[in-house]
Amino acid sequence: MTNRPLLSITLSLILSLTSPLAESFCGFYVAKADAKLFNKASQVVLVRQEDKTVLTMANDFKGDPKEFAVVIPVPTFLEKGQIHIGEKKLIDHLDAYTAPRLVEYYDDNPCQRAIYEAAPASAAPTAGFEMPQRAKKNGHGVTVEAEYTIGEYDILILSAKESDGLEQWLTENGYRIPDGATDVLGSYIKQKMRFFVAKVNLKELSKLGFSYLRPIQVAYDSPKFMLPIRLGTVNADGPQELFIYTITQNGRVETTNYRTLKLPSDTEIPVYIKEDFANFYRAMFDQQVQKEDMEAVFLEYAWDMNWCDPCAADPLTTEELRKLGVFWLDGASDNRNFGGQPLNAFVTRLHVRYTAAKFPQDLVFQETADRNNFQGRYILRHPWTGTDSCPAATEYRKGLQQRYEQEAQQLADLTGWDIDKIRRRMNLLLGEEVAPRPEPKQGWWEKLWKE
Amino acid sequence: MSDFFQKLQFSHILQIDPRIYQMLSLSCLLIYGIGWLDFEVQPISIFILVSTSLVTQYVCTRLFKLPSLDLRSSFTSSLSLCLLLRTNSLFLMSVTAFITVLSKFVFRWNHKHIFNPTNFSLIAMILFTGQVWVSPGQWGSTAFLVFLIACLGGLVINRASRSDVTYAFLIFYTAMVFGRAVWLGDPLTIPLHQLENGALLLFAFFMISDPKTTPNSRVGRILFALLVTMGAGYVQFILYRTNGLLWSLVFFSCWVPVIDWLLPGEYYEWKKKERSLSRN
């Protein structure tokens, strides 16, 4: 009993916003946040068409691999071929492609083009397998329906008759069960769910040479379009963070038993946020969660996978999508802009912060026919700093102060930050870099007797 | 004298057609949904749904040679559509509104409609176009909203004098979700969360209660509420599909003639209600 991995569904992940500066159709995409933004965050990819689902679960488990264990309720029995070990970089790519983004614009010389026209946001349209030892009775009413070693994981598919028996079985087999899990397990047993139990096989891990644990993928047929989150809340100390990426054919995915809200987007914010985007995004998300009393799921991205604008990262290739489980891509080509058959893949990114109290039910989803594109996009507008003098320039400089104030207020609204601090920060930056030259003060009388 | 005048005014207000209350309640809900819950309902959508409904009512009144044009029911249905129907196509919105009103004229039996018009058109469009959806999660579970809908809806039901079907449905549905939770060993926060749902109350107070589609006898209506609840449970908890309430209602509406045959009663008439109210 020395080996006691902790029962949890901490399929944690890093939200990466790092990407090289990339020019795009309107403005420049910039993003600067390479740190782990959210603690206790998990990432899940759900690929679904009709009743076929491919679920990919990423984890950023940092501890000793022998301490790692997951127990995941799954709707059906899983054959060995239905389980696969995926690649972390695919999820990282999907994360980068769908992440909220900053764009920046530079104001033109108002003397040359008197009216600034904001560019509109465009809105167009594996490893070795072992043979399973099936249906091995293990006592306590628990049946080990299959046992596989896949990649670095030892995997069991369990079915159980009673939660007490399952709990006892897990305890005897070295899993530490948190208080309160029994009821949740019992509920899943009665709903005829199976249990996918995985531990790390240290021998395989060292043989494969990975320094991290790769994502586990499972493919199954089931009408249940849901994600079990209840087990993960049992032993959680505080709210958990979950990113759900869905890839479907028809359109955006939303939750049916919780509100799905769009994250505020397309807002102009002060240019200094460029250096502080990670903090901004985190504070904005905190603020939105607070505003909705932690009762909503947030939509951060909904887009046809064929393109992006601006691109935080390139769209995923056909090969990458297939590896993530998109099984309907026969004939699709990566040369989408050159006559290749377009991909039929619509990606939705949902972000939810949850506790057992606010999210008592598992998340249930539905696919809608909504193919409207949506992205979390925040705009930096650099002022024109030229010295030309003309009536339009005077007007422009006057308007700037108002614009700065508006940007400060928008930032305060979005993040809940103190507006005075924002103003101070902006002035500081304005003084250093982009302060507009003050027009020389003229008394009204000076023009009167001017020769 | 002024006291008498006040009484007169109050009783006059109470005598207004129940459909006026429905229109007011649904309008308030729509404003609340757009203003506070971020419903993505554009003014153009509201215009299309309302205008198509009214025009269809006008044309059908002529076509089916009804003695007078009455736009109240179709306006109420169009407001329900604004709250429930989601699609990106203005054309499909228009088609849905058209089917909604047309269904009242086509699917008739013994002075009644077979289907609640909004229920029928939503299910037909979901089934046949794949481009229409309903967002049951859009209401969230804000207690304030529940309170608001319950009050407004309660008002409507009392006026429509078919409150028994709503109460019976709510009792059966509550018993079902609590019973299921107890059987599963779930914490009671789960059934509470399932009940604290604006969509459920909207269904209970504005859709299943439609006096033109429910069975004529009280026993029949209670039986109907039980069947609809069981059907919804079957769709949600056994088939794992969304919109269980809508599917179940449309299915069991087909059986209302049988229920009426087995358990006869007097059919409902808006105008009769008006007449009796004016006599009071």
Side-chain angles (χ1 to χ4, degrees), chain B residues 124-155:
Chain B
M125 295 299 282
I126 289 172
L127 198 60
F128 295 113
T129 68
Q131 295 297 312
V132 164
W133 69 97
V134 174
S135 291
Q138 69 180 353
W139 298 95
S141 53
T142 319
F144 169 68
L145 180 65
V146 172
F147 180 71
L148 182 77
I149 300 181
C151 289
L152 294 172
L155 203 63

PDB file of all heavy atoms in Angstrom, chain B residues 124-155:
ATOM      1  N   ALA B 124     -41.082  20.721 -35.598  1.00  0.00           N
ATOM      2  CA  ALA B 124     -41.056  20.452 -37.044  1.00  0.00           C
ATOM      3  C   ALA B 124     -39.786  21.028 -37.674  1.00  0.00           C
ATOM      4  O   ALA B 124     -39.123  20.366 -38.476  1.00  0.00           O
ATOM      5  CB  ALA B 124     -42.296  21.047 -37.703  1.00  0.00           C
ATOM      6  N   MET B 125     -39.428  22.228 -37.283  1.00  0.00           N
ATOM      7  CA  MET B 125     -38.249  22.870 -37.879  1.00  0.00           C
ATOM      8  C   MET B 125     -36.956  22.203 -37.407  1.00  0.00           C
ATOM      9  O   MET B 125     -36.015  22.039 -38.183  1.00  0.00           O
ATOM     10  CB  MET B 125     -38.225  24.366 -37.553  1.00  0.00           C
ATOM     11  CG  MET B 125     -39.359  25.165 -38.150  1.00  0.00           C
ATOM     12  SD  MET B 125     -39.412  25.122 -39.953  1.00  0.00           S
ATOM     13  CE  MET B 125     -38.131  26.270 -40.372  1.00  0.00           C
ATOM     14  N   ILE B 126     -36.892  21.829 -36.135  1.00  0.00           N
ATOM     15  CA  ILE B 126     -35.695  21.132 -35.628  1.00  0.00           C
ATOM     16  C   ILE B 126     -35.533  19.816 -36.383  1.00  0.00           C
ATOM     17  O   ILE B 126     -34.449  19.450 -36.832  1.00  0.00           O
ATOM     18  CB  ILE B 126     -35.817  20.867 -34.102  1.00  0.00           C
ATOM     19  CG1 ILE B 126     -35.693  22.175 -33.321  1.00  0.00           C
ATOM     20  CG2 ILE B 126     -34.766  19.864 -33.633  1.00  0.00           C
ATOM     21  CD1 ILE B 126     -35.983  22.061 -31.837  1.00  0.00           C
ATOM     22  N   LEU B 127     -36.658  19.130 -36.574  1.00  0.00           N
ATOM     23  CA  LEU B 127     -36.633  17.809 -37.200  1.00  0.00           C
ATOM     24  C   LEU B 127     -36.267  17.891 -38.681  1.00  0.00           C
ATOM     25  O   LEU B 127     -35.462  17.106 -39.174  1.00  0.00           O
ATOM     26  CB  LEU B 127     -38.018  17.177 -37.033  1.00  0.00           C
ATOM     27  CG  LEU B 127     -38.134  15.685 -37.207  1.00  0.00           C
ATOM     28  CD1 LEU B 127     -37.255  14.958 -36.203  1.00  0.00           C
ATOM     29  CD2 LEU B 127     -39.595  15.253 -37.019  1.00  0.00           C
ATOM     30  N   PHE B 128     -36.842  18.847 -39.393  1.00  0.00           N
ATOM     31  CA  PHE B 128     -36.714  18.811 -40.854  1.00  0.00           C
ATOM     32  C   PHE B 128     -35.646  19.736 -41.437  1.00  0.00           C
ATOM     33  O   PHE B 128     -35.229  19.543 -42.568  1.00  0.00           O
ATOM     34  CB  PHE B 128     -38.064  19.097 -41.510  1.00  0.00           C
ATOM     35  CG  PHE B 128     -39.077  18.026 -41.227  1.00  0.00           C
ATOM     36  CD1 PHE B 128     -40.196  18.275 -40.445  1.00  0.00           C
ATOM     37  CD2 PHE B 128     -38.883  16.730 -41.700  1.00  0.00           C
ATOM     38  CE1 PHE B 128     -41.104  17.281 -40.152  1.00  0.00           C
ATOM     39  CE2 PHE B 128     -39.788  15.720 -41.408  1.00  0.00           C
ATOM     40  CZ  PHE B 128     -40.904  15.995 -40.639  1.00  0.00           C
ATOM     41  N   THR B 129     -35.223  20.756 -40.710  1.00  0.00           N
ATOM     42  CA  THR B 129     -34.221  21.651 -41.316  1.00  0.00           C
ATOM     43  C   THR B 129     -32.825  21.449 -40.733  1.00  0.00           C
ATOM     44  O   THR B 129     -31.839  21.641 -41.425  1.00  0.00           O
ATOM     45  CB  THR B 129     -34.583  23.137 -41.122  1.00  0.00           C
ATOM     46  OG1 THR B 129     -34.462  23.461 -39.733  1.00  0.00           O
ATOM     47  CG2 THR B 129     -35.991  23.441 -41.585  1.00  0.00           C
ATOM     48  N   GLY B 130     -32.734  21.099 -39.470  1.00  0.00           N
ATOM     49  CA  GLY B 130     -31.419  20.995 -38.836  1.00  0.00           C
ATOM     50  C   GLY B 130     -30.745  22.356 -38.659  1.00  0.00           C
ATOM     51  O   GLY B 130     -29.605  22.440 -38.220  1.00  0.00           O
ATOM     52  N   GLN B 131     -31.433  23.414 -38.999  1.00  0.00           N
ATOM     53  CA  GLN B 131     -30.844  24.751 -38.913  1.00  0.00           C
ATOM     54  C   GLN B 131     -31.468  25.576 -37.784  1.00  0.00           C
ATOM     55  O   GLN B 131     -31.214  26.763 -37.665  1.00  0.00           O
ATOM     56  CB  GLN B 131     -31.040  25.512 -40.242  1.00  0.00           C
ATOM     57  CG  GLN B 131     -30.297  24.891 -41.412  1.00  0.00           C
ATOM     58  CD  GLN B 131     -28.800  24.925 -41.197  1.00  0.00           C
ATOM     59  OE1 GLN B 131     -28.231  25.936 -40.835  1.00  0.00           O
ATOM     60  NE2 GLN B 131     -28.147  23.779 -41.381  1.00  0.00           N
ATOM     61  N   VAL B 132     -32.320  24.937 -37.025  1.00  0.00           N
ATOM     62  CA  VAL B 132     -33.044  25.639 -35.967  1.00  0.00           C
ATOM     63  C   VAL B 132     -32.732  24.947 -34.650  1.00  0.00           C
ATOM     64  O   VAL B 132     -32.607  23.739 -34.609  1.00  0.00           O
ATOM     65  CB  VAL B 132     -34.567  25.568 -36.273  1.00  0.00           C
ATOM     66  CG1 VAL B 132     -35.389  25.928 -35.061  1.00  0.00           C
ATOM     67  CG2 VAL B 132     -34.919  26.476 -37.433  1.00  0.00           C
ATOM     68  N   TRP B 133     -32.568  25.717 -33.615  1.00  0.00           N
ATOM     69  CA  TRP B 133     -32.343  25.088 -32.307  1.00  0.00           C
ATOM     70  C   TRP B 133     -33.003  25.911 -31.211  1.00  0.00           C
ATOM     71  O   TRP B 133     -33.419  27.043 -31.427  1.00  0.00           O
ATOM     72  CB  TRP B 133     -30.849  24.904 -32.040  1.00  0.00           C
ATOM     73  CG  TRP B 133     -30.055  26.164 -31.802  1.00  0.00           C
ATOM     74  CD1 TRP B 133     -29.716  26.696 -30.598  1.00  0.00           C
ATOM     75  CD2 TRP B 133     -29.501  27.033 -32.804  1.00  0.00           C
ATOM     76  NE1 TRP B 133     -28.981  27.844 -30.783  1.00  0.00           N
ATOM     77  CE2 TRP B 133     -28.834  28.074 -32.116  1.00  0.00           C
ATOM     78  CE3 TRP B 133     -29.508  27.039 -34.190  1.00  0.00           C
ATOM     79  CZ2 TRP B 133     -28.182  29.123 -32.778  1.00  0.00           C
ATOM     80  CZ3 TRP B 133     -28.855  28.088 -34.856  1.00  0.00           C
ATOM     81  CH2 TRP B 133     -28.202  29.102 -34.157  1.00  0.00           C
ATOM     82  N   VAL B 134     -33.112  25.277 -30.047  1.00  0.00           N
ATOM     83  CA  VAL B 134     -33.646  25.946 -28.857  1.00  0.00           C
ATOM     84  C   VAL B 134     -32.538  25.873 -27.822  1.00  0.00           C
ATOM     85  O   VAL B 134     -31.867  24.856 -27.722  1.00  0.00           O
ATOM     86  CB  VAL B 134     -34.913  25.207 -28.353  1.00  0.00           C
ATOM     87  CG1 VAL B 134     -35.390  25.791 -27.042  1.00  0.00           C
ATOM     88  CG2 VAL B 134     -36.014  25.265 -29.400  1.00  0.00           C
ATOM     89  N   SER B 135     -32.312  26.942 -27.089  1.00  0.00           N
ATOM     90  CA  SER B 135     -31.235  26.948 -26.078  1.00  0.00           C
ATOM     91  C   SER B 135     -31.827  26.846 -24.677  1.00  0.00           C
ATOM     92  O   SER B 135     -32.117  27.865 -24.055  1.00  0.00           O
ATOM     93  CB  SER B 135     -30.413  28.242 -26.193  1.00  0.00           C
ATOM     94  OG  SER B 135     -29.681  28.232 -27.377  1.00  0.00           O
ATOM     95  N   PRO B 136     -32.019  25.627 -24.180  1.00  0.00           N
ATOM     96  CA  PRO B 136     -32.665  25.506 -22.865  1.00  0.00           C
ATOM     97  C   PRO B 136     -31.842  26.107 -21.732  1.00  0.00           C
ATOM     98  O   PRO B 136     -32.363  26.444 -20.686  1.00  0.00           O
ATOM     99  CB  PRO B 136     -32.848  24.006 -22.682  1.00  0.00           C
ATOM    100  CG  PRO B 136     -31.954  23.344 -23.673  1.00  0.00           C
ATOM    101  CD  PRO B 136     -31.670  24.316 -24.758  1.00  0.00           C
ATOM    102  N   GLY B 137     -30.521  26.253 -21.967  1.00  0.00           N
ATOM    103  CA  GLY B 137     -29.684  26.780 -20.890  1.00  0.00           C
ATOM    104  C   GLY B 137     -29.681  28.296 -20.808  1.00  0.00           C
ATOM    105  O   GLY B 137     -29.110  28.865 -19.885  1.00  0.00           O
ATOM    106  N   GLN B 138     -30.317  28.972 -21.758  1.00  0.00           N
ATOM    107  CA  GLN B 138     -30.166  30.429 -21.855  1.00  0.00           C
ATOM    108  C   GLN B 138     -30.707  31.194 -20.641  1.00  0.00           C
ATOM    109  O   GLN B 138     -30.313  32.317 -20.394  1.00  0.00           O
ATOM    110  CB  GLN B 138     -30.842  30.946 -23.118  1.00  0.00           C
ATOM    111  CG  GLN B 138     -32.364  30.856 -23.083  1.00  0.00           C
ATOM    112  CD  GLN B 138     -33.018  31.379 -24.359  1.00  0.00           C
ATOM    113  OE1 GLN B 138     -32.362  31.918 -25.226  1.00  0.00           O
ATOM    114  NE2 GLN B 138     -34.326  31.223 -24.473  1.00  0.00           N
ATOM    115  N   TRP B 139     -31.628  30.572 -19.894  1.00  0.00           N
ATOM    116  CA  TRP B 139     -32.253  31.292 -18.777  1.00  0.00           C
ATOM    117  C   TRP B 139     -31.419  31.248 -17.518  1.00  0.00           C
ATOM    118  O   TRP B 139     -31.638  32.038 -16.610  1.00  0.00           O
ATOM    119  CB  TRP B 139     -33.627  30.686 -18.484  1.00  0.00           C
ATOM    120  CG  TRP B 139     -34.568  30.810 -19.624  1.00  0.00           C
ATOM    121  CD1 TRP B 139     -34.806  29.865 -20.590  1.00  0.00           C
ATOM    122  CD2 TRP B 139     -35.375  31.926 -19.964  1.00  0.00           C
ATOM    123  NE1 TRP B 139     -35.717  30.342 -21.491  1.00  0.00           N
ATOM    124  CE2 TRP B 139     -36.091  31.607 -21.124  1.00  0.00           C
ATOM    125  CE3 TRP B 139     -35.571  33.177 -19.386  1.00  0.00           C
ATOM    126  CZ2 TRP B 139     -36.968  32.484 -21.734  1.00  0.00           C
ATOM    127  CZ3 TRP B 139     -36.458  34.043 -19.982  1.00  0.00           C
ATOM    128  CH2 TRP B 139     -37.144  33.709 -21.142  1.00  0.00           C
ATOM    129  N   GLY B 140     -30.508  30.281 -17.446  1.00  0.00           N
ATOM    130  CA  GLY B 140     -29.748  30.160 -16.212  1.00  0.00           C
ATOM    131  C   GLY B 140     -30.667  29.776 -15.065  1.00  0.00           C
ATOM    132  O   GLY B 140     -31.794  29.331 -15.273  1.00  0.00           O
ATOM    133  N   SER B 141     -30.197  29.969 -13.861  1.00  0.00           N
ATOM    134  CA  SER B 141     -31.023  29.562 -12.721  1.00  0.00           C
ATOM    135  C   SER B 141     -31.127  30.686 -11.705  1.00  0.00           C
ATOM    136  O   SER B 141     -31.176  30.464 -10.517  1.00  0.00           O
ATOM    137  CB  SER B 141     -30.421  28.312 -12.082  1.00  0.00           C
ATOM    138  OG  SER B 141     -29.072  28.546 -11.782  1.00  0.00           O
ATOM    139  N   THR B 142     -31.132  31.893 -12.217  1.00  0.00           N
ATOM    140  CA  THR B 142     -31.207  33.027 -11.300  1.00  0.00           C
ATOM    141  C   THR B 142     -32.554  33.026 -10.570  1.00  0.00           C
ATOM    142  O   THR B 142     -33.600  32.976 -11.192  1.00  0.00           O
ATOM    143  CB  THR B 142     -31.042  34.336 -12.077  1.00  0.00           C
ATOM    144  OG1 THR B 142     -30.029  34.135 -13.048  1.00  0.00           O
ATOM    145  CG2 THR B 142     -30.692  35.482 -11.179  1.00  0.00           C
ATOM    146  N   ALA B 143     -32.493  33.064  -9.271  1.00  0.00           N
ATOM    147  CA  ALA B 143     -33.717  32.969  -8.473  1.00  0.00           C
ATOM    148  C   ALA B 143     -34.697  34.084  -8.821  1.00  0.00           C
ATOM    149  O   ALA B 143     -35.902  33.869  -8.894  1.00  0.00           O
ATOM    150  CB  ALA B 143     -33.361  33.012  -6.998  1.00  0.00           C
ATOM    151  N   PHE B 144     -34.156  35.235  -9.089  1.00  0.00           N
ATOM    152  CA  PHE B 144     -35.001  36.376  -9.400  1.00  0.00           C
ATOM    153  C   PHE B 144     -35.863  36.080 -10.614  1.00  0.00           C
ATOM    154  O   PHE B 144     -37.063  36.360 -10.651  1.00  0.00           O
ATOM    155  CB  PHE B 144     -34.128  37.611  -9.652  1.00  0.00           C
ATOM    156  CG  PHE B 144     -34.886  38.766 -10.231  1.00  0.00           C
ATOM    157  CD1 PHE B 144     -35.842  39.433  -9.476  1.00  0.00           C
ATOM    158  CD2 PHE B 144     -34.660  39.172 -11.528  1.00  0.00           C
ATOM    159  CE1 PHE B 144     -36.550  40.492 -10.019  1.00  0.00           C
ATOM    160  CE2 PHE B 144     -35.360  40.231 -12.074  1.00  0.00           C
ATOM    161  CZ  PHE B 144     -36.319  40.885 -11.316  1.00  0.00           C
ATOM    162  N   LEU B 145     -35.238  35.505 -11.595  1.00  0.00           N
ATOM    163  CA  LEU B 145     -35.941  35.237 -12.840  1.00  0.00           C
ATOM    164  C   LEU B 145     -37.049  34.210 -12.612  1.00  0.00           C
ATOM    165  O   LEU B 145     -38.160  34.362 -13.107  1.00  0.00           O
ATOM    166  CB  LEU B 145     -34.951  34.723 -13.891  1.00  0.00           C
ATOM    167  CG  LEU B 145     -35.587  34.406 -15.225  1.00  0.00           C
ATOM    168  CD1 LEU B 145     -36.132  35.669 -15.859  1.00  0.00           C
ATOM    169  CD2 LEU B 145     -34.575  33.771 -16.144  1.00  0.00           C
ATOM    170  N   VAL B 146     -36.730  33.196 -11.830  1.00  0.00           N
ATOM    171  CA  VAL B 146     -37.733  32.170 -11.531  1.00  0.00           C
ATOM    172  C   VAL B 146     -38.947  32.820 -10.898  1.00  0.00           C
ATOM    173  O   VAL B 146     -40.088  32.587 -11.289  1.00  0.00           O
ATOM    174  CB  VAL B 146     -37.133  31.108 -10.575  1.00  0.00           C
ATOM    175  CG1 VAL B 146     -38.208  30.164 -10.096  1.00  0.00           C
ATOM    176  CG2 VAL B 146     -36.014  30.356 -11.254  1.00  0.00           C
ATOM    177  N   PHE B 147     -38.659  33.658  -9.954  1.00  0.00           N
ATOM    178  CA  PHE B 147     -39.718  34.358  -9.260  1.00  0.00           C
ATOM    179  C   PHE B 147     -40.554  35.165 -10.239  1.00  0.00           C
ATOM    180  O   PHE B 147     -41.784  35.110 -10.250  1.00  0.00           O
ATOM    181  CB  PHE B 147     -39.074  35.270  -8.203  1.00  0.00           C
ATOM    182  CG  PHE B 147     -40.058  36.064  -7.410  1.00  0.00           C
ATOM    183  CD1 PHE B 147     -40.874  35.448  -6.479  1.00  0.00           C
ATOM    184  CD2 PHE B 147     -40.169  37.430  -7.598  1.00  0.00           C
ATOM    185  CE1 PHE B 147     -41.786  36.176  -5.738  1.00  0.00           C
ATOM    186  CE2 PHE B 147     -41.076  38.169  -6.865  1.00  0.00           C
ATOM    187  CZ  PHE B 147     -41.896  37.543  -5.939  1.00  0.00           C
ATOM    188  N   LEU B 148     -39.865  35.875 -11.082  1.00  0.00           N
ATOM    189  CA  LEU B 148     -40.542  36.748 -12.036  1.00  0.00           C
ATOM    190  C   LEU B 148     -41.461  35.937 -12.952  1.00  0.00           C
ATOM    191  O   LEU B 148     -42.632  36.258 -13.142  1.00  0.00           O
ATOM    192  CB  LEU B 148     -39.488  37.493 -12.867  1.00  0.00           C
ATOM    193  CG  LEU B 148     -40.028  38.489 -13.879  1.00  0.00           C
ATOM    194  CD1 LEU B 148     -40.477  39.763 -13.189  1.00  0.00           C
ATOM    195  CD2 LEU B 148     -38.972  38.807 -14.922  1.00  0.00           C
ATOM    196  N   ILE B 149     -40.889  34.880 -13.504  1.00  0.00           N
ATOM    197  CA  ILE B 149     -41.689  34.095 -14.452  1.00  0.00           C
ATOM    198  C   ILE B 149     -42.876  33.453 -13.748  1.00  0.00           C
ATOM    199  O   ILE B 149     -43.984  33.438 -14.259  1.00  0.00           O
ATOM    200  CB  ILE B 149     -40.831  32.993 -15.117  1.00  0.00           C
ATOM    201  CG1 ILE B 149     -39.667  33.620 -15.864  1.00  0.00           C
ATOM    202  CG2 ILE B 149     -41.663  32.173 -16.081  1.00  0.00           C
ATOM    203  CD1 ILE B 149     -38.794  32.626 -16.560  1.00  0.00           C
ATOM    204  N   ALA B 150     -42.589  32.940 -12.550  1.00  0.00           N
ATOM    205  CA  ALA B 150     -43.668  32.260 -11.831  1.00  0.00           C
ATOM    206  C   ALA B 150     -44.823  33.227 -11.569  1.00  0.00           C
ATOM    207  O   ALA B 150     -45.986  32.890 -11.777  1.00  0.00           O
ATOM    208  CB  ALA B 150     -43.144  31.689 -10.529  1.00  0.00           C
ATOM    209  N   CYS B 151     -44.479  34.433 -11.154  1.00  0.00           N
ATOM    210  CA  CYS B 151     -45.528  35.414 -10.868  1.00  0.00           C
ATOM    211  C   CYS B 151     -46.300  35.773 -12.130  1.00  0.00           C
ATOM    212  O   CYS B 151     -47.522  35.708 -12.162  1.00  0.00           O
ATOM    213  CB  CYS B 151     -44.923  36.682 -10.287  1.00  0.00           C
ATOM    214  SG  CYS B 151     -44.335  36.456  -8.638  1.00  0.00           S
ATOM    215  N   LEU B 152     -45.544  36.122 -13.149  1.00  0.00           N
ATOM    216  CA  LEU B 152     -46.198  36.543 -14.381  1.00  0.00           C
ATOM    217  C   LEU B 152     -47.017  35.397 -14.962  1.00  0.00           C
ATOM    218  O   LEU B 152     -48.151  35.573 -15.371  1.00  0.00           O
ATOM    219  CB  LEU B 152     -45.151  36.997 -15.410  1.00  0.00           C
ATOM    220  CG  LEU B 152     -44.373  38.247 -15.041  1.00  0.00           C
ATOM    221  CD1 LEU B 152     -43.256  38.470 -16.051  1.00  0.00           C
ATOM    222  CD2 LEU B 152     -45.285  39.458 -14.994  1.00  0.00           C
ATOM    223  N   GLY B 153     -46.403  34.224 -14.934  1.00  0.00           N
ATOM    224  CA  GLY B 153     -47.074  33.056 -15.499  1.00  0.00           C
ATOM    225  C   GLY B 153     -48.313  32.704 -14.695  1.00  0.00           C
ATOM    226  O   GLY B 153     -49.367  32.412 -15.259  1.00  0.00           O
ATOM    227  N   GLY B 154     -48.186  32.769 -13.366  1.00  0.00           N
ATOM    228  CA  GLY B 154     -49.314  32.456 -12.505  1.00  0.00           C
ATOM    229  C   GLY B 154     -50.506  33.322 -12.837  1.00  0.00           C
ATOM    230  O   GLY B 154     -51.653  32.862 -12.919  1.00  0.00           O
ATOM    231  N   LEU B 155     -50.206  34.554 -13.097  1.00  0.00           N
ATOM    232  CA  LEU B 155     -51.244  35.508 -13.464  1.00  0.00           C
ATOM    233  C   LEU B 155     -51.952  35.040 -14.732  1.00  0.00           C
ATOM    234  O   LEU B 155     -53.179  35.003 -14.820  1.00  0.00           O
ATOM    235  CB  LEU B 155     -50.549  36.854 -13.721  1.00  0.00           C
ATOM    236  CG  LEU B 155     -51.377  38.115 -13.595  1.00  0.00           C
ATOM    237  CD1 LEU B 155     -51.871  38.269 -12.177  1.00  0.00           C
ATOM    238  CD2 LEU B 155     -50.493  39.303 -13.973  1.00  0.00           C
TER     239      LEU B 155
END
